Amino acid sequence: MNTKTTKPYRHGAVAVLLACALAAGVSDLTTAADEDPAGPSTATKTTKTFKGPASGPASGAISGPLKATTTATHRQAPPQALPRLKLPAPTGPHAVGRTSLHLVDHGRRDPWVPEAGARELMVTLYYPARKGTGTPAPYMTTEGARLFLENRGIEDVPAKVLAGTRTHTRTGAAPARGTHPLVVLSPGLQVPGTTLTGLAEDLTSRGYVVAVTDHAYEAVGVAFPGKGILPCTACDKVDENTFEPAALGRGHDLSYVLDALIGKRGGKPGGTRPLWRHAGMIDKSRVGMAGHSMGGAGTAAAMAKDTRIRAGANLDGPFPGLGAGADLSGRPFLMMGAPDLHGPGGGDTTWGPAWDRLTGWKRWATLTGADHFAFTDLAPLAGQLGEDDPEGLPGRRASEITRAYTGAFFDQHLRGRPSPLLNGPSADHPEVVFQRDPRDGR
């Protein structure tokens, strides 16, 4: 892949928020105590250079050194000098509830730490809720935020500012009536599902149940019952040679999440009853999936083996080799990424072959000026700290586009509500460029 370094004016908070180590190869990870299992905290060791694999699509991030320049003098700023961070407001009419579910797949041993026993997952469930019920949900813990900032040498953003990021979610909220489509989300390697909160909230507000999945030993700062914070063991092990097994493992994880939420395929053994007590909210016939970076690769891997998934989206992630299942049986697929990786001549060479193999409805779009983290919460949070790239796509705008197009995709293919956004260039969204003629994707 091509090598790119961040621009010299990226400093301070943005060095953390936009160059957070998602790529494989980052070492010496530490973890933070977690006060709320539904809102995992993150922390890694301070480093000035974030490394990706020497070659290959291991994480979907740019390979080679990704330098986070920190030329600014770090100082403790008065708390009143910084804004109260908040996620963009959801666009739909539903209130958003949240709970968490700990899953243990006794049919598989953990691929990264076999001695740990069965494969474990933490699922944060967002669901349409009754307005006025529940209590405000935190974004992450103060201790997790403190370590997240301290370990990167960021002294001018108090931990309480990041931890206190306002969400639009309430814990303990009463579920709304009716049934709703399900969308499962998977984050990038090392990055916890917390970074997809804004997208999850927006989809939920539009009437979806959303399951954000954290994969054991694949993220920093995620707590598991009885084990506490687990290290990101996979972060030192995923490279160009182990990427595909890692992506296929994600696929198995995500299918198991479906087993837990809508029941196993084919009945016995193991029973078919869903494990979530509000699983009756889910319309089992309308299931979608999306992921960022490695999560996007895992989405493709899951769809290739699991026909319960009706539509999928890959947000700036690579595609694993899927053999005969690479066409995803003609099901709809959205490819949306940053131009440096996923535009013409981009660093990720897996998208062209993937496009050619997809035989159903498909779109390939890039966001002009976007970087790898434009599809996560890190972009709008950095923007609120005054750290938008003046030559790039503002963080708030990146969030608006990601939510608009992802929502339109699932609305069209899980609800039968066609959207003109998916048919070609939009005057309201000039940053979105279709890299293949939409007419070629039916």
Side-chain angles (χ1 to χ4, degrees), residues 278-305:
H278 296 306
M281 296 184 69
I282 298 172
D283 183 341
K284 299 178 182 180
S285 68
R286 296 186 291 170
V287 175
M289 191 171 289
H292 173 245
S293 196
M294 179 63 84
T299 293
M303 283 189 68
K305 301 295 184 182

Side-chain angles (χ1 to χ4, degrees), residues 128-345:
R130 296 181 187 176
K131 293 181 179 180
T133 63
T135 57
Y139 186 66
M140 64 169 62
T141 68
T142 301
E143 179 65 4
R146 183 186 69 80
L147 293 173
F148 181 92
L149 296 167
E150 178 185 275
N151 290 354
R152 288 174 172 82
I154 307 301
E155 299 175 359
D156 52 359
V157 179
K160 288 185 178 180
V161 172
L162 181 58
T165 297
R166 180 189 172 193
T167 71
H168 302 276
T169 299
R170 300 178 75 87
T171 59
R177 295 179 179 179
T179 58
H180 310 270
L182 170 68
V183 175
V184 178
L185 298 180
S186 180
L189 181 68
Q190 187 175 342
V191 179
T194 303
T195 59
L196 297 177
T197 301
L199 178 58
E201 288 184 338
D202 193 68
L203 287 169
T204 303
S205 77
R206 297 167 73 126
Y208 294 86
V209 173
V210 180
V212 179
T213 304
D214 277 303
H215 309 258
Y217 301 105
E218 295 187 19
V220 175
V222 181
F224 283 75
K227 295 186 176 180
I229 303 291
L230 299 181
C232 186
T233 306
C235 294
D236 288 332
K237 295 184 177 181
V238 176
D239 58 23
E240 63 272 19
N241 298 315
T242 58
F243 156 70
E244 289 199 4
L248 295 176
R250 283 278 180 112
H252 289 302
D253 288 348
L254 297 171
S255 282
Y256 188 75
V257 171
L258 293 185
D259 290 345
L261 296 179
I262 64 175
K264 289 188 176 182
R265 293 171 291 173
K268 306 285 184 178
T272 61
R273 172 177 284 186
L275 299 180
W276 183 37
R277 67 190 183 105
H278 296 306
M281 296 184 69
I282 298 172
D283 183 341
K284 299 178 182 180
S285 68
R286 296 186 291 170
V287 175
M289 191 171 289
H292 173 245
S293 196
M294 179 63 84
T299 293
M303 283 189 68
K305 301 295 184 182
D306 195 331
T307 57
R308 293 175 296 180
I309 307 165
R310 284 180 49 180
N314 184 344
L315 307 180
D316 215 42
F319 281 87
L322 300 174
D327 66 355
L328 308 184
S329 303
R331 285 164 287 165
F333 206 91
L334 172 66
M335 303 159 61
M336 188 162 64
D340 284 352
L341 276 177
H342 298 121

